[in-house]
Structures are given as structure tokens and as C-alpha cells.
Amino acid sequence: MQSKPLSFNDDAGLYDKMRPGYPKEVFTKLQAITGLNQGSHILEIGCGSGQATRSLVDITRHIVCVDPGENLLAVARVKFPDLTFVNSTFEDYVTDERYNLIISATAWHWVNPKVAYKKAHELLKDDGYLAVLRNDHIETDPDAFHNKADFIYKRYSNPDVMGDDQKVTDDQAVLLENQYFHVVETVGFPWEQTYTIDEYIALRNTYSDHRTMDRDKRLELEKELRDFAHRHYNDKITKHYVAVLFLARKI
């Protein structure tokens, strides 16, 4: 079976079209704390097709974007032709450059933790920061689609069919507080997005747990979700996110 990180690379156009970005407030907060400016140098780990990059370029154009997905990088290069893109995992990335910020948006969990923090520490300047950003999907309303349709997901999953957009159980702040980094900020920014059922299924097809399902099983799941959304939600699904920023300073 194809590894989950590289499964995103199979349909880079769909990934670029459907994967959400992050609220502008995240990057305003990031810049306010770190003091980043147009002369700052940023390393982005797991840039995909540029979901976070689109906001980082408002801070500086000195950005190196690293991702193992060649097709995803091809899409990103078209959008940001003046940035530097490297087709590599973070573990294999080699450079003599030192950065003011290393950031990873919904990708840090793919990096081997035995390598991640030590290497990030080595590649940062003495006053540098490590930022881990993610979109958590959190539905507190019991009548929300994802809560009402939970019985469908459970028939097709083990234990949660759509792991990519569910709240990560590990405490990222605890992981960042180590011999290499000290956490200076953990903050969440709630936001929401409404999809048609067709858009929602397209979004689902960018998630690794969905993409790697048996094809017949995946199609059955999608049919049930379509029918349920049509009967009870007028084919409209609203997802409530919290964009969570974890920011740590090099020590």
C-alpha cells in the first residue's frame, strides 16, 4: 500500500482545489510574536500545494518549501514561481542555510519525531522559532452533520474513518516542550466552511484514510453520505474548524 503522505500526491489538482487554508489571523499572530519581516528566512515542511504558503508570502519571499510530493510541488511552483521548492522529506533535506522560522502546517505528524525536533533545532538561527499549525475539525453541535452521520462512518472505519480532519489526540504543546524548544504560544482560531455534498466528497478524497480505503468500500460510504446529506441537510454540509497554532522558541 502506498504511504499515506505520498497518497496526497496522486491527485495534486484536487488536493489544491479542496484542501482548506488557514485564517489570516494565524499569521498575524505568528508575525507579531516572532518579529518576522521581509528579510526573514522561512523553511516550510510539507508545503503541499501551498495552503499555508499563500499567507507566508505576505510576510517574506525568502521561503524554502520542502515536500516529498513531486506533483504537489509542481502545482505550488506555478503559484509561487519566485520561491524555492525542494522535492524531499524533512528527514532527507540537506542545507547549510539557517532559518528564522521553521513551520509545518498539517504535516508535522508525518515527520519522524526522533529526527524532527533535533534537526529543526539545528537548522534554526539562535533566535529562531518552530511553528506547528493544523486545522482541527470540531463539531460541538449534536445536530451537526458529522455527529448525526457518525453511525455511517463507524460502519466503514476503524475506529474513525476520517482521521485527517479529526482532532489530533496527542498534545502537540507537550511534544514541543523538550530539550530543544520552549513553547511560547498555543492559540486557536475558530472558523467554518460550507460545502455542497459533491464538494464534501471531493474534500474527503484528499484525505489519506479515505484515499487508501478499498475502492468498493469507499464508494459505498460516499453513497450513504450523499443520501444522508440529501435527506437531512439539503445537500449542504458545514464544517467547523479550529486552526491551532503551536509556537516554540529555540533554546
Side-chain angles (χ1 to χ4, degrees):
M1 181 181 293
Q2 187 180 31
S3 67
K4 286 185 177 182
L6 289 180
S7 72
F8 305 139
N9 192 55
D10 289 343
D11 196 339
L14 181 66
Y15 186 96
D16 182 58
K17 179 181 178 181
M18 298 309 305
R19 273 299 178 109
Y22 305 88
K24 182 175 177 59
E25 292 82 1
V26 172
F27 301 92
T28 300
K29 185 74 169 181
L30 174 66
Q31 190 171 11
I33 296 174
T34 61
L36 293 170
N37 55 50
Q38 294 181 357
S40 299
H41 289 246
I42 294 175
L43 175 64
E44 185 182 2
I45 306 303
C47 64
S49 60
Q51 282 66 31
T53 317
R54 69 182 69 155
S55 296
L56 291 172
V57 295
D58 292 334
I59 299 174
T60 179
R61 292 280 171 168
H62 301 293
I63 305 174
V64 177
C65 304
V66 176
D67 197 285
E70 185 175 359
N71 295 335
L72 289 167
L73 289 183
V75 174
R77 285 189 180 101
V78 173
K79 295 192 291 185
F80 312 106
D82 55 339
L83 303 186
T84 300
F85 294 92
V86 180
N87 186 201
S88 173
T89 63
F90 182 50
E91 292 91 334
D92 293 334
Y93 175 62
V94 178
T95 183
D96 292 327
E97 188 171 356
R98 295 298 177 263
Y99 300 92
N100 302 101
L101 173 73
I102 294 177
I103 183 169
S104 185
T106 317
W108 191 244
H109 57 289
W110 296 122
V111 184
N112 183 344
K114 294 180 179 180
V115 176
Y117 297 98
K118 182 176 186 295
K119 185 164 186 174
H121 187 271
E122 292 171 351
L123 294 184
L124 282 168
K125 296 180 179 180
D126 289 342
D127 57 350
Y129 291 83
L130 172 63
V132 176
L133 175 62
R134 69 178 189 236
N135 275 322
D136 284 350
H137 172 208
I138 301 176
E139 298 290 354
T140 57
D141 182 356
D143 292 325
F145 173 84
H146 295 87
N147 290 331
K148 288 292 188 180
D150 188 57
F151 74 98
I152 298 175
Y153 294 132
K154 285 180 177 177
R155 286 208 300 270
Y156 292 88
S157 62
N158 183 25
D160 193 334
V161 68
M162 300 306 167
D164 284 68
D165 73 335
Q166 297 296 319
K167 192 174 188 304
V168 179
T169 55
D170 291 337
D171 188 343
Q172 185 65 65
V174 171
L175 294 176
L176 277 166
E177 191 78 31
N178 53 47
Q179 68 266 39
Y180 301 112
F181 294 94
H182 172 66
V183 174
V184 296
E185 187 70 66
T186 299
V187 61
F189 301 86
W191 67 284
E192 66 181 54
Q193 187 162 339
T194 299
Y195 303 90
T196 67
I197 185 57
D198 289 338
E199 291 170 338
Y200 176 76
I201 294 300
L203 174 66
R204 283 300 181 203
N205 276 288
T206 70
Y207 290 145
S208 59
D209 288 351
H210 195 86
R211 295 186 65 86
T212 55
M213 288 177 68
D214 173 80
R215 181 179 180 276
D216 290 341
K217 185 178 180 180
R218 187 180 76 247
L219 292 176
E220 290 174 6
L221 167 63
E222 291 175 358
K223 182 180 185 305
E224 288 202 40
L225 292 175
R226 287 181 190 278
D227 291 344
F228 191 80
H230 181 70
R231 291 197 310 271
H232 302 289
Y233 291 87
N234 197 29
D235 293 331
K236 298 284 187 180
I237 296 170
T238 298
K239 291 188 67 173
H240 293 88
Y241 296 98
V242 177
V244 186
L245 173 67
F246 301 92
L247 187 61
R249 185 175 58 243
K250 176 179 175 175
I251 56 178

